Amino acid sequence: MSIYTETQEKLANKIDNNIDYKTWTDWKWQLRNTIKTVQGMSEILGVKFSEEEEKMYHMVIDKFPLAVTPYYASLIDKNNYKDDPVFKQAFGTMNELDVENYEMSDPLSEESDSPAKGLTHRYPDRVLLTVTGMCSMYCRHCTRKRKVGDNDSNMSLEDLEDAFTYIEDHPEVRDVLVSGGDPLMLSDRKLKMILDRISSIEHVEVIRIGTRMPVVLPYRITDELVEMLGQYDNLWLNTHFNHPREVTDSSKKALKKLSKVGIPLGNQSVLLAGVNDCPYIMKSLVHMLTKNRVRPYYLYQCDLAEGLSHFRTPISKGIEIIESLRGHTSGFAVPVYVVDAPGGGGKIPLNPNYIVTWATNKVILRNYEGIICTYKEPDSYEPIFCDRDCDECTLELNLSPEEYVPEIGIEKLICDNNTETTLTPSCNERQIRRSDDG
Ligand SMILES: *Cc1c(COP(=O)(O)O)cnc(C)c1O
């Protein structure tokens, strides 16, 4: 079955005469013909920009470069491109030049939490490894806008060696998230070398790939690639669909190939004003994803990167979307709505409030329909005191002492075997006065 659409055929012929379906679906051809200029954009769309618009686009692209695959551009509705969700994600607007005083070039402090080139170690047991700065398409809403088009972030295997050594030296790292840029920009061979190198580290239990290729260049998901990825039985893959219009036959085919070899698929959407800030759009998207065996994983609040103010919604919009999903549709179709904390605090989940109130042994809850119910808690509950001595415990976990991971953060306040009752910022003035006096 050919899924070469008329729009795609026309678009292909604008790039080169008589492009057949086979050439169109060659991901390297797509990359070679990525649209990078205002002129290319105007030709492909078949629209004539005014002098003013043209000047504006040049200014935007100078600051944040442009790249769109012919495939992704073919999804744009030319007759109404200004409102088009694909257009908005792919081509900039003047608004990107507005930098608000609260915006940051590295809003998630990925560079401050970087112990080795390409590595961000933020959470206790997992790391983010950015293996390339390249992408087939530059999302206008990218959180790593600071790095887009920056060739320094293209790493050789030697460049990554420090990161691999770091992971080796940190047995607590059991999950490695391979991202970028887009790791599927690398050749199969180079990607395999990276995955093999990570797999050679005994304590790494899970490898994840973060890629937007199924959305912006589904032809990258070749049979050869899938066969190679299918060899790793601890590999997960997360992609980034934001709008139902992106779930095309070509994308579905790519997803099917990946799920067939047993790779669990997840999706991370970004909540974007004017693109998907609508409960109906999100519901339709999560239904399309689950139909194609992709689990909606996260819905991100748009972060505080520079030039994204026009994309940002209030947090209430995200809560509203979750409210419209939870209970109304399959539980596994509901993503977790998160704010990635500015300054590097990691992802913070947000939910509508379901606890109405609390009394002794009674919790009053409300459901998605507005039904208010009482959950009666047990009158007697004997908590099992945990001093982390599994030998003496009736729950039979039987952890060995070397598997003991010390509690941190809020967990430390909750657990039984820690006497600390307060978390105090190190720069708390009252504490500083106390130590000065002492
Ligand atoms: C998102 C992220 C992870 C993975 O977080 P999960 O909640 O486990 O998906 C790890 N490291 C960094 C720096 C991240 O931003």
Side-chain angles (χ1 to χ4, degrees):
M1 181 194 64
S2 167
I3 42 182
Y4 200 23
T5 66
E6 205 176 307
T7 317
Q8 290 174 343
E9 200 167 345
K10 272 196 202 147
L11 201 151
N13 282 314
K14 279 188 192 165
I15 295 169
D16 209 341
N17 276 332
N18 298 319
I19 296 297
D20 57 11
Y21 185 60
K22 190 156 178 291
T23 310
W24 172 261
T25 55
D26 172 357
W27 67 279
K28 290 184 177 153
W29 181 89
Q30 287 273 339
L31 287 182
R32 276 198 306 278
N33 290 288
T34 294
I35 303 150
K36 294 190 160 152
T37 61
V38 180
Q39 197 200 348
M41 172 176 156
S42 149
E43 279 167 19
I44 290 298
L45 287 174
V47 295
K48 180 97 188 74
F49 296 125
S50 68
E51 216 168 286
E52 185 99 341
E53 282 176 317
E54 202 156 299
K55 223 173 88 193
M56 161 198 111
Y57 277 125
H58 276 297
M59 276 164 71
V60 172
I61 291 169
D62 263 0
K63 180 151 190 212
F64 300 115
L66 175 81
V68 188
T69 58
Y71 163 81
Y72 197 57
S74 77
L75 308 186
I76 296 170
D77 175 5
K78 285 187 290 194
N79 299 320
N80 187 19
Y81 70 90
K82 283 188 177 162
D83 286 333
D84 189 279
V86 174
F87 181 85
K88 285 183 177 175
Q89 292 179 71
F91 295 101
T93 66
M94 194 65 168
N95 299 328
E96 288 181 45
L97 298 174
D98 301 337
V99 175
E100 305 289 343
N101 60 9
Y102 52 80
E103 292 180 331
M104 294 165 268
S105 73
D106 177 15
L108 311 179
S109 302
E110 291 180 326
E111 317 213 334
S112 335
D113 282 332
S114 178
K117 203 172 166 213
L119 202 71
T120 302
H121 191 178
R122 164 152 313 147
Y123 295 106
D125 69 342
R126 54 211 189 277
V127 291
L128 169 70
L129 181 63
T130 50
V131 295
T132 173
M134 295 187 293
C135 281
S136 60
M137 198 285 270
Y138 297 155
C139 304
R140 302 320 296 182
H141 54 278
C142 184
T143 182
R144 302 196 185 109
K145 252 174 134 65
R146 66 183 186 280
K147 285 188 170 174
V148 167
D150 169 7
N151 284 327
D152 290 350
S153 34
N154 295 330
M155 314 253 264
S156 67
L157 237 68
E158 292 80 67
D159 290 335
L160 288 168
E161 199 40 50
D162 280 351
F164 296 139
T165 309
Y166 179 90
I167 300 170
E168 256 162 1
D169 292 344
H170 289 79
E172 70 274 20
V173 176
R174 41 164 293 288
D175 177 1
V176 178
L177 213 149
V178 179
S179 183
D182 196 319
L184 297 192
M185 284 297 277
L186 304 181
S187 65
D188 293 1
R189 206 177 70 94
K190 186 164 172 194
L191 185 63
K192 183 174 186 312
M193 287 199 287
I194 292 173
L195 296 176
D196 282 341
R197 183 71 181 82
I198 299 171
S199 300
S200 74
I201 305 172
E202 214 166 301
H203 55 263
V204 174
E205 298 169 6
V206 172
I207 306 175
R208 298 190 249 179
I209 289 181
T211 174
R212 207 176 182 198
M213 289 294 190
V215 186
V216 296
L217 183 48
Y219 314 133
R220 174 64 185 97
I221 313 302
T222 60
D223 294 342
E224 297 75 39
L225 175 75
V226 169
E227 198 199 315
M228 186 271 281
L229 295 179
Q231 304 297 310
Y232 301 89
D233 46 19
N234 58 351
L235 185 78
W236 296 56
L237 188 144
N238 267 334
T239 187
H240 174 181
F241 286 92
N242 283 333
H243 193 282
R245 282 264 307 284
E246 295 169 333
V247 190
T248 64
D249 288 343
S250 301
S251 283
K252 289 178 191 169
K253 197 169 151 188
L255 295 172
K256 190 168 185 173
K257 282 186 189 179
L258 291 163
S259 64
K260 270 209 161 157
V261 295
I263 303 172
L265 302 175
N267 187 66
Q268 315 197 151
S269 294
V270 182
L271 182 53
L272 297 170
V275 174
N276 60 7
D277 52 337
C278 159
Y280 304 104
I281 286 182
M282 288 312 294
K283 194 184 279 181
S284 151
L285 176 65
V286 298
H287 285 166
M288 289 173 106
L289 291 170
T290 49
K291 251 171 91 174
N292 289 282
R293 292 209 265 185
V294 181
R295 166 90 152 87
Y297 179 48
Y298 281 139
L299 172 64
Y300 285 92
Q301 172 66 10
C302 183
D303 60 39
L304 297 177
E306 289 177 350
L308 300 189
S309 54
H310 62 294
F311 275 135
R312 243 169 257 134
T313 65
I315 284 181
S316 53
K317 183 51 79 175
I319 303 272
E320 180 189 330
I321 287 170
I322 300 302
E323 185 75 73
S324 77
L325 295 175
R326 175 63 65 198
H328 298 273
T329 192
S330 319
F332 65 85
V334 185
V336 176
Y337 175 45
V338 292
V339 175
D340 217 332
K347 298 172 186 73
I348 301 175
L350 298 177
N351 263 309
N353 293 327
Y354 293 104
I355 299 185
V356 177
T357 190
W358 232 325
T360 312
N361 291 338
K362 271 184 186 176
V363 191
I364 313 301
L365 304 167
R366 64 98 174 170
N367 80 345
Y368 71 102
E369 299 166 300
I371 287 183
I372 295 183
C373 65
T374 307
Y375 180 86
K376 178 79 181 64
E377 292 182 315
D379 290 327
S380 64
Y381 165 66
E382 269 197 47
I384 293 176
F385 182 84
C386 177
D387 54 5
R388 299 299 294 249
D389 181 0
C390 290
D391 286 345
E392 294 300 312
C393 180
T394 53
L395 293 178
E396 311 248 326
L397 173 61
N398 295 328
L399 273 187
S400 61
E402 57 272 18
E403 288 173 279
Y404 173 84
V405 181
E407 297 81 5
I408 64 162
I410 304 290
E411 186 190 19
K412 193 155 77 176
L413 300 184
I414 292 174
C415 71
D416 291 329
N417 66 328
N418 196 303
T419 51
E420 277 177 68
T421 57
T422 326
L423 295 180
T424 312
S426 57
C427 54
N428 178 285
E429 285 195 30
R430 192 166 48 82
Q431 295 294 332
I432 294 169
R433 266 200 310 277
R434 274 193 198 175
S435 53
D436 284 352
D437 291 350

